[in-house]
Structures are given as C-alpha cells and as structure tokens.
Amino acid sequence: MKITLNNNIEIIETTESSLSINQLLQIKKYSFKNLVVKINDELVKRDSYEQARFKDGDKVDIIHMISGG
Amino acid sequence: MKFSEVKSALKNKTVGIAGCGGLGSNCAVALARVGIGKVVIADFDVIEENNLNRQYFFFDQIGKYKAPTLKENLIRINPNVLVDDHVIKLSPKEIVALYKDCDVIVEAFDKAEMKEMIVETVLSEFPQKQIVCGVGLAGWGGNNLIKTEQYRKLYIVGDRASETSENDPPLAPRVGIVSNMMANVVLEILLGKDK
C-alpha cells in the first residue's frame, strides 16, 4: 500500500486493502504517547484510532506532540 | 508595507494564546510590540524563580499569577494592546468559550497531553481557524533543526524531537526562537505572505 505519510511517500507492506491508525502505529513502531492524527486532512480523534481506516493513495499525518513550552 | 500599515492591519485582530509560560509570554510580547489589537491569554500557574530562564517575567514578579502579570508586562510595552487575561486551567469547553472570537490561536502549553487536547479541540470545534503549535524546543544549539510545517490549518513550529526533561531543560534562546517563529507565523496568517 502506497500512502503519503507526514508529507513523504511511504510503502506499507500489507495484504489488507485498508488499515486502521492503530495498525499503522504498530507497523511504524510509533510510540509517542500524544499525537495529532489526520487522514486526508480530516482530524481523527484519539477515540477513533481503531475505527478510522485509510487505503492506498491516502494522505496520513501523524504528528507527535512532545512536552516543552 | 510600512510599519504604520502593519499596525493598522493588526489593530482589529485578536490572537488567543493558550498558556503564558516560555512560548506564550514571548510570543505575546512579540505580537504586542508589532501592534496586535487584542490578545486573549490564559494560564493557571504562578511565576517561579526557575521560570525566569526563559519566560518574559521579572524577579520581582515571582509568586504572582502568570496571566495577569503578563498583561501588566504587555501593557508596559504597548499600552494600546487590549489584553483579556484568565487565571484558569483550560479544558475543551473553556477553549471554545475563550477563543471563539480569535482570528488565530497559539498553543503555548508545556505538557504534550495538553497540546494534543487543544489541537483536537480547535480542529474539531473551529474547522475554519488556524492554530500555531510549538513542538520541540529543549536544550541549546541546533538552530537549523527548528522549522515550521503546515498541515492545512495547523502549523507546527519547533525541532519536533527534543522533549524537555530535567536533563534537557527549556532555555531562553531556543524557547525564544520557537516562540518568535510562532509569532512570525501568526503575522503571516494575519497579514499575508506579500510584503
């Protein structure tokens, strides 16, 4: 599956036609606790990481929020 | 654009600033200096001595609440800026109430979970508003690692990697760089990119 992840083209190895945000976090080993997630520029709230799915050609943004201010 | 034109373009603009620590106080000062019409500032905390390594407060202000004290400092710099200050720990409900009339919102919290909360709240409750967020500013050096990335209405400013901790504290130069870059993004949103 070819997606745009954080403005870079990325090939995700999978046999499924769509993936959830939780699956992507696992595949990419993203372990930051606080995130802002968007699929095709639409916000995905934390409580929808399991239901929200993306497919080939989609644009996914996973922005890490880290402390400091 | 002459400075007089910049000032008159900013006169009727309102910027919401969530948090009056290192990012919020310095960003507010930059906006006050260039003549922003109004800022809505909020913070629940009081000034501690160890905040003075980066936050726009003075030694004789230790122990005071940050939001009303920042208002005092902003008005000393520019008495024409209107400052709506709130001593409050912001939740989604209050963010909607306080910032609904702002032209731009600046996220200037310390904690990552608060940053996530306000970005989620603003993007879902105010889909037309732009929010500028500071992410990654700990330590020193690495000037060229600090940048701005835009995701439609969301701007992320910082190195996006350095998390503050006891051994990697936030310090005036980098916090100042990020907060002034955030103020610079606010100007670009309010005035446009054309000079």
Side-chain angles (χ1 to χ4, degrees), chain B residues 1 33 46 49 53 57 62 66 82 92 95 97 103 108 122 137 146 157 159 168 172 184 191:
Chain B
M1 222 190 244
R33 287 192 193 277
V46 296
E49 188 173 345
N53 68 356
F57 299 110
I62 289 167
K66 290 181 183 180
L82 295 172
I95 288 167
D103 296 290
V122 170
L137 45 73
I146 298 172
V157 181
D159 67 23
D168 203 2
N184 208 21
L191 301 174

Side-chain angles (χ1 to χ4, degrees), chain B residues 7 14 24 26 44 59 72 79-80 85 107 117 132 155 158 182:
Chain B
K7 272 200 297 187
T14 300
N26 289 295
F44 68 92
F59 196 84
E72 271 174 40
N80 298 315
D85 62 308
E107 175 285 313
M117 181 275 286
V132 185
Y155 296 77
M182 292 169 78

Side-chain angles (χ1 to χ4, degrees), chain B:
Chain B
M1 222 190 244
K2 294 180 189 138
F3 180 51
S4 58
E5 293 169 321
V6 170
K7 272 200 297 187
S8 62
L10 293 176
K11 215 178 108 188
N12 298 317
K13 301 294 185 186
T14 300
V15 177
I17 300 178
C20 300
L23 293 176
S25 64
N26 289 295
C27 184
V29 164
L31 293 172
R33 287 192 193 277
V34 295
I36 195 74
K38 183 177 172 184
V39 288
V40 181
I41 59 175
D43 198 297
F44 68 92
D45 218 352
V46 296
I47 300 155
E48 292 176 36
E49 188 173 345
N50 64 9
N51 297 152
L52 299 182
N53 68 356
R54 65 193 188 281
Q55 303 186 13
Y56 209 103
F57 299 110
F58 299 91
F59 196 84
D60 60 9
Q61 294 175 329
I62 289 167
K64 292 182 170 182
Y65 280 106
K66 290 181 183 180
T69 310
L70 179 58
K71 177 181 184 172
E72 271 174 40
N73 294 348
L74 295 175
I75 286 170
R76 280 182 68 190
I77 291 166
N78 179 358
N80 298 315
V81 59
L82 295 172
V83 185
D84 186 9
D85 62 308
H86 300 266
V87 177
I88 190 172
K89 181 150 186 175
L90 289 168
S91 67
K93 208 174 117 197
E94 279 117 17
I95 288 167
V96 171
L98 289 191
Y99 298 128
K100 64 179 189 300
D101 296 323
C102 293
D103 296 290
V104 185
I105 296 171
V106 170
E107 175 285 313
F109 290 133
D110 180 26
K111 301 249 179 312
E113 57 267 29
M114 293 290 283
K115 290 176 188 283
E116 180 188 287
M117 181 275 286
I118 191 172
V119 173
E120 274 203 5
T121 303
V122 170
L123 294 182
S124 58
E125 300 295 321
F126 301 124
Q128 296 313 312
K129 280 197 205 299
Q130 321 226 36
I131 177 165
V132 185
C133 190
V135 180
L137 45 73
W140 63 87
N143 277 2
N144 297 342
L145 300 175
I146 298 172
K147 56 185 181 177
T148 303
E149 280 205 65
Q150 183 180 356
Y151 302 82
R152 269 200 164 173
K153 308 274 179 190
L154 168 67
Y155 296 77
I156 305 284
V157 181
D159 67 23
R160 306 182 56 159
S162 67
E163 185 150 42
T164 55
S165 65
E166 206 181 323
N167 293 317
D168 203 2
L171 298 169
R174 272 186 131 230
V175 175
I177 291 166
V178 172
S179 53
N180 280 279
M181 280 175 72
M182 292 169 78
N184 208 21
V185 172
V186 171
L187 291 190
E188 208 168 67
I189 293 167
L190 295 178
L191 301 174
K193 289 190 181 184
D194 294 333
K195 309 241 166 15

Side-chain angles (χ1 to χ4, degrees), chain A residues 1-12 24 28 30 54 57-62, chain B residues 147 149-151 160:
Chain A
M1 183 189 298
K2 192 164 137 188
I3 60 168
T4 305
L5 178 62
N6 295 342
N7 298 323
N8 295 311
I9 302 288
E10 183 110 17
I11 311 285
I12 309 283
L24 180 64
K28 293 297 295 175
Y30 285 163
F54 59 89
D58 281 346
K59 177 178 185 293
V60 182
D61 294 307
I62 297 189
Chain B
K147 56 185 181 177
E149 280 205 65
Q150 183 180 356
Y151 302 82
R160 306 182 56 159

